Amino acid sequence: MKIWQRYNGMILPVLVVAAMVLWPTITGKAANRESAFTILKAVALASSLNILLGYTGYVSFGHIVFYGFGGYVGLFLLTEKDWPLWTAMLAGGLASGILAFLLGKAILRLRGAYFALSTIGINEAMKAFINNFDLFGGPTGITLNFSVYKPYGGAAQALQLSFYIAAGLALLALVTSYIVRTSKFGLGLLAIRENEDAAEVMGVTAPNVKTWAYVLSAIIPGMMGVLFFFKNGNVEPHDAFPLHASIELLVMVMLGGQGTVLGPILGAFAYQGMRGFLVTSPIFKDIQLSVSGALLLMIVLFIPAGAIGWLKQRIPTLRRALA
């Protein structure tokens, strides 16, 4: 009974991921599979960012750096060392975690706008470094040979496999987020979010706690980067480190409700639906990023708690159900 009470907040997230897997499986349409993959990727990345943004209150405009760096490490191992996808993904996640640990020791001593600005600088510095790093292909990046897909039944089967792995990573990100939120470690993060100085007075070792939160938030994006670029067959600097992608992740987390498990799911669905409409609209296709910026501003001004927070405030009976 105690185990059920502790983990019943994961029921709805698990059902959402299961529905996303069943949708293209039942319809049998490749277009639906690709749409579901995009949403699952967004859920995994947004949920990972939520561990930092939602639980500590630290705003990162460069979180996509872990996605790109992990992707590069994984594809290098796939092409040059003939590693299988599974170990390359683990290596990509581990590399991103180590990068986050090293960066966290340096920049997590900053707060507020200073931290946010430093994350932008890190993303642009990493893009410039990779662009001039010959081992990773420089400006042309890394391209996979089709022989890489043979152990997985060919390129078509690899697409199907990538979809199911994406669902697994999305679920892993949600479970990690939930465990962190309901743990003693998570309480320390929430205390930092409310008042970092007071948290330290109460015994929270803020620098260490923030650093490990940063590491946790980086590992799954690194693994997802490997999976996505494996699926696409190549990686280039401008695709691996797009600053606008970090801004979109912020919008997803804040739109759904930062500091909640369901928030990034709702935000990912809503934003990806809106983005799909904008990029296919002849009127709005060139201003989708402007719309994202305007949406972020409106969220901050009018619903800072996001959709989940708004629902909890308006309908108290939902507070237990909406984790």
Side-chain angles (χ1 to χ4, degrees):
M1 186 66 178
K2 289 182 179 180
I3 295 176
W4 167 258
Q5 291 175 344
R6 182 175 180 180
Y7 294 105
N8 62 2
M10 278 303 301
I11 294 175
L12 190 53
V14 169
L15 290 176
V16 171
V17 173
M20 292 303 298
V21 173
L22 289 174
W23 174 40
T25 302
I26 293 173
T27 60
K29 294 181 178 179
N32 290 344
R33 185 191 65 206
E34 293 304 303
S35 296
F37 181 94
T38 301
I39 294 172
L40 289 168
K41 184 183 82 166
V43 168
L45 295 179
S47 295
S48 298
L49 175 59
N50 187 48
I51 295 174
L52 180 71
L53 171 63
Y55 300 155
T56 70
Y58 275 66
V59 179
S60 173
F61 283 96
H63 211 67
I64 205 70
V65 72
F66 303 118
Y67 167 84
F69 182 67
Y72 259 101
V73 171
L75 255 67
F76 173 78
L77 295 173
L78 280 166
T79 56
E80 300 298 326
K81 305 299 180 182
D82 295 323
W83 283 28
L85 176 62
W86 318 103
T87 50
M89 285 177 59
L90 290 173
L94 180 60
S96 292
I98 292 172
L99 178 64
F101 180 82
L102 296 174
L103 292 175
K105 287 296 184 180
I107 67 172
L108 283 170
R109 298 182 183 278
L110 303 173
R111 298 188 190 182
Y114 299 103
F115 173 80
L117 289 172
S118 71
T119 60
I120 296 175
I122 287 169
N123 187 74
E124 296 307 300
M126 181 62 76
K127 184 193 295 185
F129 171 74
I130 295 295
N131 199 56
N132 293 280
F133 190 49
D134 291 336
L135 189 64
F136 283 172
T140 60
I142 301 173
T143 300
L144 293 180
N145 189 295
F146 269 91
S147 62
V148 171
Y149 299 112
K150 285 184 179 179
Y152 312 101
Q157 290 299 318
L159 288 175
Q160 191 74 17
L161 176 65
S162 298
F163 170 68
Y164 290 121
I165 297 175
L169 288 178
L171 186 60
L172 179 61
L174 291 168
V175 170
T176 302
S177 178
Y178 184 80
I179 291 174
V180 168
R181 186 174 180 270
T182 55
S183 67
K184 183 179 179 180
F185 173 69
L187 291 176
L189 296 179
L190 295 174
I192 290 171
R193 184 186 68 183
E194 298 303 319
N195 189 316
E196 188 166 337
D197 293 326
E200 288 186 318
V201 170
M202 295 300 292
V204 177
T205 310
N208 290 341
V209 171
K210 290 186 296 184
T211 298
W212 286 113
Y214 201 37
V215 170
L216 278 176
S217 72
I219 293 173
I220 290 177
M223 297 174 69
M224 183 59 78
V226 180
L227 178 66
F228 179 77
F229 295 121
F230 166 81
K231 173 179 173 291
N232 275 20
N234 74 298
V235 57
E236 298 177 8
H238 67 275
D239 292 327
F241 306 101
L243 183 61
H244 68 83
S246 287
I247 298 173
E248 289 176 332
L249 290 178
L250 285 170
V251 172
M252 291 178 206
V253 175
M254 298 186 72
L255 176 62
Q258 56 180 309
T260 67
V261 178
L262 285 171
I265 301 177
L266 182 59
F269 269 90
Y271 183 80
Q272 290 299 330
M274 182 193 72
R275 183 175 179 273
F277 167 75
L278 291 175
V279 297
T280 57
S281 168
I283 300 174
F284 300 109
K285 64 180 180 180
D286 295 324
I287 61 169
Q288 57 163 315
L289 294 180
S290 299
V291 174
S292 299
L295 181 60
L296 182 59
L297 178 61
M298 287 191 292
I299 294 168
V300 172
L301 290 176
F302 300 111
I303 48 169
I308 297 295
W310 185 86
L311 287 172
K312 286 182 176 181
Q313 290 172 359
R314 296 296 187 279
I315 310 174
T317 54
L318 292 178
R319 288 177 182 173
R320 285 183 174 272
L322 300 178

